[in-house]
Amino acid sequence: MSADSSISTWHPVARSAELSPGANIVAGFAEGQELALWRSADGAPQAWENRCPHRSVRFTLGHVMKDRLSCAYHGWQYAAGSGQCIRIPAHPDMPPPRNVCAKVFSAVDAAGMLWVHLADAVPPPAPRDDAVPPGWSFCRTLSVRADAAGVRDALAARGFSADASLPAMRGALDHIDAAALVLDAQPLLAFIHLWTDAAPGTEAMKALHVATRALRGEIEARQPAA
């Protein structure tokens, strides 16, 4: 991909609209890292390793309590932002151990997506809101059994190109303009988040859905047999 390294270290893991403040938890992946995605009560995006540090139960089985994430197993509660354990329901008068903390990743909203930075170092500048053209509509997220590099190569072969300053690849499918954000989810699994200037419910949008299924078939057909 020709986008610079400061862009490529941010991963578009989910649509921003999928996460409601103080409500649901969404599972996600980036570079093989399993994530629990949620929002605190003020709407701040949270991206945590999907593992409670107490007994390793997935956080996605738990629930959000305003600015806390509660594990489903013993109900231990962790603070938004820091991931610090702040309450153990079975021992309400006991101060929680200071060394018990969920692993927290940097997360931002931009261009209608939730982006996550996995490295421990200070993250580079986040993607801009114009990563996807203003006013464009979300089409779909397409899962592809292939590595992200192969997906980008296939898009490039279809005429999609990458702007060095933006993470999205721009091109057309079935003569319909589209922007593709490629997520490196797991080994041999990538997701393509597609945005378009076609309006929802139109024939153009329907045609784009058909074209994306054909694209997935083409990409997966190129993969070596297991």
Side-chain angles (χ1 to χ4, degrees):
M1 185 177 181
S2 61
D4 62 34
S5 59
S6 68
I7 291 292
S8 62
T9 53
W10 285 97
H11 304 278
V13 293
R15 287 181 65 205
S16 294
E18 294 178 10
L19 299 160
S20 301
N24 59 327
I25 310 170
V26 173
F29 290 92
E31 293 186 351
Q33 173 66 61
E34 187 175 352
L35 302 167
L37 310 171
W38 60 288
R39 292 187 190 278
S40 54
D42 64 359
Q46 310 289 319
W48 292 13
E49 180 182 27
N50 195 13
R51 183 188 70 83
C52 174
H54 178 220
R55 288 289 186 265
S56 296
V57 174
R58 285 182 171 88
F59 275 128
T60 44
L61 298 175
H63 63 278
V64 179
M65 303 174 64
K66 294 185 178 179
D67 291 323
R68 303 177 182 183
L69 201 57
S70 175
C71 177
Y73 192 19
H74 290 122
W76 286 31
Q77 298 172 19
Y78 301 84
S82 67
Q84 181 67 49
C85 180
I86 56 175
R87 189 170 190 272
I88 300 175
H91 304 283
D93 298 325
M94 183 184 76
R98 295 184 62 84
N99 64 337
V100 177
C101 189
K103 186 172 180 59
V104 176
F105 302 104
S106 298
V108 297
D109 287 294
M113 301 294 301
L114 178 66
W115 303 74
V116 174
H117 178 71
L118 298 179
D120 293 330
V122 176
R128 307 194 306 257
D129 276 328
D130 62 353
V132 171
W136 279 31
S137 300
F138 179 76
C139 174
R140 67 175 300 183
T141 294
L142 189 73
S143 62
V144 184
R145 293 190 298 272
D147 62 83
V151 170
R152 294 188 181 101
D153 288 344
L155 287 169
R158 282 290 202 102
F160 279 71
S161 61
D163 185 315
S165 64
L166 298 173
M169 299 183 72
R170 292 283 301 275
L173 292 172
D174 198 14
H175 307 291
I176 303 164
D177 288 338
L181 295 167
V182 180
L183 170 64
D184 182 359
Q186 296 180 347
L188 296 181
L189 178 65
F191 291 94
I192 309 173
H193 304 294
L194 278 165
W195 296 74
T196 178
D197 64 349
T202 61
E203 291 302 316
M205 181 67 84
K206 295 175 184 177
L208 187 56
H209 275 265
V210 174
T212 58
R213 291 194 292 271
L215 173 66
R216 174 167 56 193
E218 291 176 13
I219 296 173
E220 294 181 346
R222 298 177 184 175
Q223 300 304 303

